[in-house]
Amino acid sequence: MQKHMSYLQKHPSITRSRVNNFLGGGQWEDVNIKAALYDLRVSGEPHVHLEVWSAPGQDRPTFEHAVKQQFKPAKVGQVFGPSWTTHWFRIRATIPGSFAGKLTQFMFDTNSEAMVWSEDGQPLLGLTGGNGGERHVDYLLTSCANESEPERTFYIEMACNGLFGNGDYHVHPQDRDIYYRLSSAEIVAPNQEAWALFHDMEVIVEMASRLPQESPRSWQALTAANDIVNIFNHSDLSTIKPAREIAQKFLSYKTSDAAHSVFAVGNCHIDTAWLWPYAETKRKSARSWATQLNLMDDYPEYRFAASQAQQFQWLLENYPSLFERIQKKSKDGQFIPIGGTWVEMDCNLPSGESLVRQFLLGQQFFKQHFGEYCDVFWLPDTFGYSSQLPQIVRLAEAKYFFTQKLSWNNINKFPHTTFRWIGLDGSHVLCHMSPAETYGAQCRPNELINSVTRHKDIAYTNESLLLFGNGDGGGGPLRSMLERLRRMEDVDGLPKVKQAHPREFYKHVDETARELVSWKGELYFELHRGTYTSQSNNKRWNRQSEFLLRDAEMLSTIAHMRRSHHGAQFEYPHDEFVRLWRLVCLNQFHDVLPGSAINMAYRDSDKIYKDIFKSVADIRKGALACIYGDALNNSENDGTGMAVLNTTGWMRSEIITIPQSMASRFALDKHDARVQISERDGSALALVSNVPGFGTCLINPDTLAGSKPANSPVRVYQCAGEDSFVLENALVRVVIDAHGRVRSFYDLSERRELVPKGESGNVFELYNDVPLYWDAWDEEIYLRESFKKLDGTSVAIVEAGPILGSVSVKVPISDDSVLTQVISLSAASPRLDFDCDIDWHENRKSLKTAFTWDITSDFATYETQYGVVQRPTHRNTSWDLAKFEVCAHKFADLSEYGYGVAMLNDCKYGHSTIANTMTLSLIRAPKSPDEHCDMGRHKFRYAIYPHKGTFSESRVVQEAYQFNVPLLHIPLSGTEIADANSSPFFSVTGAPNVVLDAVKVAEDDKQSFIVRMYEAYGGHARALLTSRLHSSSITKVNILEHPIDDDGDGSLHMLPHSNTVEVAFKPFEIVTLMFSQ
Ligand SMILES: [Zn+2]
């Protein structure tokens, strides 16, 4: 070949464009490398015979069902739909003799997702059609065709959805009417050498453009690429060989020993539901993982990690042969189950116990099916990470953590890549955030270059993780990625790359890092703050499920451990609790609970919650029947009294509601200060005093008559000559103005006004809530720049005391939406309750309630899992500013020396405290990806609880707990119950900062039970725990219920001759005890 001198150093940008064009589609693809990629292709009869059967509606039938159906002829060009329908193709393919000696593939492009099945029903390979970067549509028929090939029959299951569901755009609502065109069904023989040159060039061309332009390797890359283009001739394929020699020479120069090391791991992030329902995820994981298993056969160095036990469980149920293949590949070390949790859950909203169950269920599954626990906690895509996670991860026998989501922060750049993450209690895990800033890397030189240039701790550790593979909708790594990785393993100019188990990376860092920086406390995500509020009913069901399951497990444990009493038989429904917790954990997936999934996903989760509520109610009923035996009455109508059961660990005095059907028996004199007939519904309101923690109190007409009147009766009255109303008991006096706002909140014993002059509380603020892009996800920083204060109207007295006083207020929001609220004060407490019922029909609006207090503090305290987190009330730095909306569980508290006010809630999470104004986010109205998000009726409650002392001297944790966990009322037919069943089952004394949170039967020993407690305020404690359930030994265990070596640190100490144990706590420590027979 003739060759002239190249002057490319004089025109590098022109040459870069030229070599880029060599790889591109479009107008040059008939003369560039693309023209050489396939030697042969045939389609249509007699080589390809196509038939199809379309499943009715949105059914997703099994293989066995589908193949028995009547198939009809089908052809390329035909369209299939609408969205979410399924179509099964039966394909008979005969490879022509002209393909002899060639690797031969079947190329089938439905422009949607599909699965190839063998004739005998084995799922073989997932396909993703269309023209996107995720496209893979090739099914290998043979690696070397013979002169005469037999006819092959196989099936392809076409799903009418793409990788990202059925929207035209990632976050848009789903289109129900999309049809997909079958655009190819052909037998092809790829030119393997041409493909190899294609992959060589992908690496070289990108090195030419992405390496520093002045570097020798950049010039060498450009020169090599240019030489290759000069040599290649599409009409003379013998030119490929010398072209490849040039490529190989360039790629043969090695890196230095000191080069950065990238540990590459394949993955396909599959959202368990997002722009598709759970049912589609079952098929997505099967498709994606089947594809990866095939790649593992062809690339022995390939390592692929997959998380979420739930997806494996679905696979086990629906694709057992695939599951077995995965188990085999896992033994070989290629398929890596990872993460240790049931799903990749949201980490802001689930309770502490929920996080524990995520790990317990997940780790159990991985151990059972893959022989080991996961030591890497894996959450690439969750919207912020609670400060209690390091402790929980450690207690789940893991110690490493991976994420990269904080690279999405839209205010501050997170300053670390590899660091020790220190949790609330001082536990730490080794955390790595991939410097390539993606979990869907494409294995291109640029990502390797970023792994170095964006690494923020390279002074201490010279390695990083690269997670590659198409994700979100699944799919996973493509063959081309593995080809590029092979070429980039050890090439001068790039870091070294090797495929590895993530554990290998973390171990290496642990062993070799000079030192590592640390980050203390939560990993707050500076984006997606609307996910604390969107899909508010879903969040409410989650909160209720968590507490209902808590009560049901505790009562079932008591009944199970004491079942000899009354001859009642009660078997702890272990399997059912596992099923229920799995469901709760499933719905905590990081696009479901946060509110960022499509409408279909919430119809599914609604059904799941209904199932949970029903089952829990049945279990609780059975457990109570066992505990209270004959005294229990199944019907409220003829009960003679009630057992009031307290499932929290401290004494409570509260108002209970005796149903209307029993009320008349309890009614004393209408003006008696012991009971009050409700004006609202005729029920009887009674003050029940001193119900012991984990104990029962009996009430009946006699005990009530003999009880003392409330010592803090409530009065409700209208201020003379004003539109304001006063709610007053012996503790506080509250003034509600004509707009329903709290104008004054006065602590009578402290003689302290809590509302600053001219300010008020319970101010409803309506915001224009239009984020930048992610509608259901984001409340943006500018939201607070403009809002409208809503005026309540029609304030009127509902209950006039003496047990309960309340006023109602109506708050018109717009022509379409209205909120009604009942504000109540009881005779038992200074707590002011707000019961809300809202009918909401807005477009991109959000509603908050705001309270301004005469309290000065630079920080507010918010409840998180098993503890609290303090966040600034000022905006000094951009890091403070970024926390303009934060997540809290049951309360937020603003305290100064000597006094504080807490805002409690029963299902809300979005909070903010700016200076001395606290707001609670009540509801939003995003339109995508669920166009119906939060439209309609909602009920929720919040409360104001003033307290003497700072937060840590208060009882806010307990008060918020009981705001969420009502006393249980159990109608009785007798007048008393056996003493043995009315005295407390447990007692916790000596440590008001310790909360007993969960009681359950042990996982592996039905004669043992588990008690989980935590230190809630951030101090040391020595708690005395007494159990009335029989046990002979007590052991400290982790959350997987394995004994913890406490090295005789004295944290557990049995008191002699008693069933009392003294438990020492460190601040925010979670302690799990196993009581064994
Ligand atoms: Zn995700």
Side-chain angles (χ1 to χ4, degrees):
M1 195 184 71
Q2 300 298 311
K3 190 169 187 294
H4 288 288
M5 177 66 196
S6 157
Y7 287 90
L8 67 84
Q9 198 160 353
K10 307 290 181 204
H11 51 75
S13 64
I14 294 174
T15 310
R16 272 188 219 108
S17 300
R18 179 196 189 200
V19 298
N20 255 321
N21 283 350
F22 182 70
L23 295 169
Q27 60 178 327
W28 315 120
E29 69 181 16
D30 54 342
V31 288
N32 68 15
I33 184 72
K34 292 240 156 140
L37 294 178
Y38 292 95
D39 287 340
L40 294 167
R41 44 204 329 162
V42 293
S43 60
E45 301 284 0
H47 306 296
V48 179
H49 179 73
L50 279 183
E51 293 170 293
V52 69
W53 169 70
S54 297
Q58 295 184 359
D59 287 3
R60 295 176 174 85
T62 60
F63 173 87
E64 289 72 23
H65 179 85
V67 295
K68 285 187 208 131
Q69 308 306 312
Q70 201 67 43
F71 282 67
K72 290 184 192 154
K75 59 177 193 297
V76 171
Q78 209 170 325
V79 293
F80 298 91
S83 310
W84 307 118
T85 55
T86 294
H87 308 269
W88 281 82
F89 292 88
R90 180 159 54 213
I91 294 150
R92 296 203 180 91
T94 313
I95 302 172
S98 55
F99 280 60
K102 292 191 180 292
L103 180 142
T104 305
Q105 297 169 332
F106 187 67
M107 194 187 269
F108 193 74
D109 189 351
T110 56
N111 289 286
S112 72
E113 291 193 290
M115 170 77 106
V116 183
W117 294 78
S118 69
E119 194 175 9
D120 63 350
Q122 301 305 314
L124 298 177
L125 181 75
L127 303 177
T128 304
N131 296 313
E134 302 89 6
R135 172 185 168 88
H136 64 107
V137 295
D138 313 317
Y139 162 52
L140 179 72
L141 293 175
T142 171
S143 52
C144 183
N146 290 321
E147 279 290 345
S148 96
E149 282 281 344
E151 181 186 82
R152 288 172 163 78
T153 301
F154 50 93
Y155 292 84
I156 294 183
E157 175 193 15
M158 171 193 188
C160 281
N161 60 268
L163 215 51
F164 300 105
N166 275 305
D168 58 345
Y169 203 28
H170 279 190
V171 301
H172 280 192
Q174 300 288 295
D175 189 337
R176 286 180 185 82
D177 217 18
I178 291 185
Y179 284 76
Y180 293 85
R181 184 169 173 272
L182 174 61
S183 57
S184 81
E186 53 187 336
I187 298 170
V188 299
N191 182 317
Q192 289 173 277
E193 270 299 290
W195 274 103
L197 180 62
F198 182 77
H199 296 311
D200 293 343
M201 275 295 268
E202 284 185 309
V203 172
I204 299 169
V205 167
E206 190 161 311
M207 284 179 75
S209 61
R210 300 295 182 155
L211 284 173
Q213 302 289 290
E214 66 285 0
S215 71
R217 284 300 274 169
S218 168
W219 285 115
Q220 289 163 14
L222 189 60
T223 309
N226 193 51
D227 288 349
I228 288 168
V229 179
N230 282 333
I231 284 182
F232 176 81
N233 180 348
H234 73 278
S235 54
D236 176 8
L237 297 187
S238 71
T239 55
I240 292 175
K241 192 164 177 278
R244 280 216 76 201
E245 282 164 7
I246 294 169
Q248 277 157 352
K249 179 150 190 255
F250 171 82
L251 294 170
S252 69
Y253 292 104
K254 306 286 183 213
T255 60
S256 74
D257 290 348
H260 185 79
S261 288
V262 171
F263 292 68
V265 193
N267 81 120
C268 59
H269 182 75
I270 305 174
D271 289 316
T272 300
W274 178 33
L275 302 174
W276 52 87
Y278 291 135
E280 197 53 45
T281 307
K282 296 175 187 177
R283 300 201 295 192
K284 275 178 176 287
S285 20
R287 288 190 287 257
S288 306
W289 294 349
T291 303
Q292 303 317 314
L293 288 169
N294 287 323
L295 289 175
M296 283 170 206
D297 289 336
D298 295 348
Y299 297 85
E301 76 276 23
Y302 180 33
R303 297 288 179 276
F304 172 83
S307 63
Q308 315 201 62
Q310 172 70 84
Q311 292 184 12
F312 285 91
Q313 173 69 36
W314 282 334
L315 202 77
L316 180 63
E317 290 163 11
N318 304 312
Y319 301 85
S321 65
L322 210 47
F323 191 85
E324 258 175 54
R325 284 175 65 200
I326 286 176
Q327 280 176 315
K328 237 180 243 145
K329 287 289 183 195
S330 151
K331 274 207 188 86
D332 301 344
Q334 284 193 277
F335 197 112
I336 304 164
I338 202 160
T341 53
W342 187 248
V343 296
E344 284 188 16
M345 67 283 188
D346 178 77
C347 286
N348 290 315
L349 310 158
S351 69
E353 188 62 20
S354 286
L355 292 186
V356 164
R357 299 306 173 106
Q358 288 283 356
F359 279 99
L360 179 62
L361 294 171
Q363 290 285 48
Q364 276 180 336
F365 185 92
F366 291 119
K367 176 80 174 176
Q368 185 188 347
H369 296 283
F370 297 99
E372 61 179 14
Y373 294 120
C374 303
D375 49 9
V376 184
F377 174 39
W378 188 262
L379 274 189
D381 187 33
T382 286
F383 314 149
Y385 305 92
S386 150
S387 52
Q388 271 293 23
L389 280 167
Q391 183 179 191
I392 294 171
V393 168
R394 286 289 184 157
L395 289 172
E397 301 185 22
K399 53 184 174 178
Y400 306 130
F401 174 47
F402 177 83
T403 182
Q404 66 81 49
K405 196 70 187 178
L406 264 56
S407 69
W408 287 41
N409 278 2
N410 72 352
I411 296 180
N412 296 285
K413 194 98 187 138
F414 191 76
H416 304 306
T417 297
T418 307
F419 60 100
R420 305 254 177 233
W421 180 25
I422 304 175
L424 208 45
D425 72 319
S427 299
H428 58 83
V429 293
L430 176 57
C431 177
H432 179 71
M433 301 188 184
S434 185
E437 300 185 351
T438 175
Y439 50 77
Q442 301 291 305
C443 300
R444 294 189 173 275
N446 193 39
E447 292 157 347
L448 297 186
I449 295 166
N450 287 343
S451 297
V452 182
T453 56
R454 295 184 184 176
H455 198 301
K456 302 179 197 84
D457 298 291
I458 214 154
Y460 316 111
T461 156
N462 194 21
E463 46 270 305
S464 56
L465 272 177
L466 180 78
L467 267 61
F468 65 94
N470 296 315
D472 295 332
L478 303 178
R479 190 171 292 273
S480 57
M481 297 179 193
L482 295 168
E483 286 293 335
R484 290 194 291 268
L485 269 189
R486 275 191 173 174
R487 286 159 176 77
M488 298 190 296
E489 261 173 29
D490 191 359
V491 177
D492 187 21
L494 298 176
K496 279 192 191 110
V497 198
K498 76 163 183 177
Q499 300 204 46
H501 191 304
R503 177 197 297 140
E504 217 180 299
F505 161 79
Y506 284 98
K507 269 179 99 170
H508 187 74
V509 172
D510 239 348
E511 286 161 12
T512 60
R514 265 163 41 94
E515 57 203 275
L516 285 175
V517 292
S518 58
W519 179 272
K520 173 79 204 280
E522 67 176 324
L523 295 172
Y524 176 84
F525 183 40
E526 296 180 358
L527 203 68
H528 295 1
R529 300 164 184 88
T531 62
Y532 315 145
T533 306
S534 297
Q535 297 288 1
S536 70
N537 272 336
N538 202 253
K539 290 175 164 68
R540 184 172 179 225
W541 310 147
N542 176 66
R543 176 82 65 88
Q544 290 184 351
S545 300
E546 291 175 335
F547 281 114
L548 287 171
L549 269 168
R550 174 189 183 271
D551 272 8
E553 282 189 327
M554 181 180 290
L555 296 171
S556 297
T557 305
I558 293 167
H560 176 83
M561 301 307 291
R562 296 165 50 82
R563 60 191 153 164
S564 54
H565 290 262
H566 308 291
Q569 282 300 315
F570 184 86
E571 196 68 40
Y572 186 81
H574 178 265
D575 293 349
E576 180 64 2
F577 278 130
V578 168
R579 187 184 78 88
L580 296 172
W581 270 113
R582 283 179 170 186
L583 292 172
V584 170
C585 288
L586 169 62
N587 281 345
Q588 290 172 348
F589 176 73
H590 69 249
D591 280 310
V592 179
L593 185 55
S596 47
I598 56 171
N599 188 267
M600 275 173 134
Y602 295 103
R603 301 295 69 80
D604 286 347
S605 72
D606 284 352
K607 266 188 226 141
I608 288 172
Y609 285 124
K610 222 182 212 173
D611 172 8
I612 294 169
F613 295 151
K614 174 165 188 325
S615 177
V616 167
D618 290 347
I619 293 172
R620 196 169 69 177
K621 206 167 160 191
L624 288 171
C626 177
I627 295 170
Y628 293 110
D630 297 339
L632 190 76
N633 195 308
N634 285 325
S635 150
E636 286 180 344
N637 296 329
D638 53 354
T640 55
M642 287 189 127
V644 178
L645 173 62
N646 176 3
T647 58
T648 59
W650 48 88
M651 184 93 83
R652 286 165 68 168
S653 296
E654 275 171 39
I655 310 301
I656 64 155
T657 305
I658 297 161
Q660 204 181 3
S661 55
M662 291 171 75
S664 59
R665 255 162 287 155
F666 282 83
L668 305 170
D669 177 346
K670 174 121 172 123
H671 300 291
D672 191 285
R674 284 165 283 199
V675 78
Q676 173 186 339
I677 300 298
S678 167
E679 299 292 335
R680 277 208 276 185
D681 58 10
S683 58
L685 304 167
L687 173 63
V688 189
S689 297
N690 304 330
V691 189
F694 304 115
T696 306
C697 169
L698 292 181
I699 57 162
N700 56 45
D702 295 338
T703 60
L704 263 188
S707 70
K708 277 198 288 186
N711 57 9
S712 177
V714 181
R715 294 199 305 138
V716 184
Y717 54 90
Q718 187 164 6
C719 299
E722 288 184 43
D723 297 335
S724 303
F725 291 81
V726 174
L727 298 166
E728 181 177 356
N729 63 17
L731 307 169
V732 295
R733 184 175 60 228
V734 178
V735 179
I736 310 290
D737 73 10
H739 293 312
R741 294 183 188 142
V742 176
R743 196 54 82 178
S744 162
F745 201 126
Y746 190 76
D747 183 322
L748 293 162
S749 62
E750 292 293 296
R751 294 189 293 138
R752 178 171 179 145
E753 174 56 58
L754 301 177
V755 181
K757 212 174 165 58
E759 301 283 356
S760 48
N762 203 36
V763 180
F764 289 102
E765 299 174 345
L766 187 67
Y767 292 82
N768 291 320
D769 190 357
V770 185
L772 294 172
Y773 178 75
W774 300 96
D775 200 353
W777 288 259
D778 283 340
E779 167 184 323
E780 259 312 334
I781 190 160
Y782 50 78
L783 179 95
R784 313 214 170 212
E785 292 173 18
S786 73
F787 62 89
K788 184 170 134 192
K789 286 187 183 180
L790 302 175
D791 290 333
T793 61
S794 320
V795 181
I797 295 173
V798 180
E799 305 283 3
I803 303 295
L804 188 76
S806 55
V807 297
S808 64
V809 53
K810 185 174 161 190
V811 185
I813 296 166
S814 68
D815 291 346
D816 304 314
S817 306
V818 64
L819 179 140
T820 50
Q821 186 175 57
V822 175
I823 306 170
S824 308
L825 182 70
S826 81
S829 153
R831 192 180 84 197
L832 190 66
D833 291 358
F834 301 82
D835 284 37
C836 305
D837 186 333
I838 188 168
D839 193 15
W840 177 251
H841 301 275
E842 298 300 309
N843 182 359
R844 272 67 162 235
K845 300 276 182 197
S846 62
L847 184 69
K848 298 176 192 285
T849 181
F851 290 84
T852 301
W853 303 115
D854 195 2
I855 292 200
T856 302
S857 175
D858 284 349
F859 63 85
T861 304
Y862 302 88
E863 191 182 35
T864 186
Q865 293 90 349
Y866 296 132
V868 292
V869 54
Q870 293 182 333
R871 299 173 179 123
T873 57
H874 55 72
R875 301 291 180 259
N876 287 358
T877 69
S878 61
W879 292 86
D880 302 329
L881 179 73
K883 293 179 181 169
F884 57 85
E885 175 85 356
V886 296
C887 181
H889 285 198
K890 304 186 289 293
F891 65 82
D893 182 89
L894 186 66
S895 293
E896 61 181 24
Y897 172 80
Y899 207 91
V901 177
M903 179 151 51
L904 321 179
N905 72 79
D906 76 341
C907 61
K908 299 295 167 195
Y909 296 87
H911 290 75
S912 162
T913 310
I914 299 176
N916 56 343
T917 299
M918 303 175 91
T919 59
L920 180 66
S921 297
L922 303 176
I923 195 159
R924 301 183 69 226
K927 298 299 172 196
S928 67
D930 175 6
E931 63 271 48
H932 305 299
C933 179
D934 283 339
M935 296 299 101
R937 287 282 293 277
H938 300 259
K939 289 187 177 185
F940 50 86
R941 294 161 60 232
Y942 54 89
I944 294 300
Y945 175 67
H947 56 86
K948 279 175 213 147
T950 58
F951 165 74
S952 47
E953 296 157 329
S954 75
R955 289 187 69 263
V956 168
V957 172
Q958 284 81 352
E959 192 69 33
Y961 216 112
Q962 60 200 50
F963 189 65
N964 281 269
V965 180
L967 294 171
L968 296 178
H969 322 154
I970 302 130
L972 301 175
S973 54
T975 50
E976 59 187 43
I977 49 179
D979 178 56
N981 286 331
S982 62
S983 56
F985 299 108
F986 299 99
S987 82
V988 182
T989 54
N993 51 338
V994 166
V995 173
L996 191 162
D997 194 46
V999 176
K1000 66 186 276 293
V1001 165
E1003 292 296 305
D1004 298 326
D1005 174 8
K1006 302 297 164 273
Q1007 299 311 309
S1008 300
F1009 65 95
I1010 298 289
V1011 171
R1012 190 155 17 251
M1013 308 157 81
Y1014 69 98
E1015 195 290 313
Y1017 288 85
H1020 286 79
R1022 280 191 178 278
L1024 294 174
L1025 168 65
T1026 307
S1027 162
R1028 280 192 38 248
L1029 307 182
H1030 179 261
S1031 68
S1032 55
S1033 74
I1034 304 175
T1035 326
K1036 198 168 171 180
V1037 294
N1038 65 19
I1039 61 176
L1040 305 184
E1041 304 179 6
H1042 300 150
I1044 293 178
D1045 238 351
D1046 63 1
D1047 295 330
D1049 66 357
S1051 65
L1052 211 59
H1053 173 61
M1054 269 317 281
L1055 299 195
H1057 316 298
S1058 75
N1059 41 11
T1060 297
V1061 62
E1062 187 187 61
V1063 193
F1065 287 80
K1066 289 187 273 227
F1068 299 119
E1069 186 180 357
I1070 304 160
V1071 172
T1072 307
L1073 301 176
M1074 180 167 331
F1075 290 70
S1076 307
Q1077 298 301 314

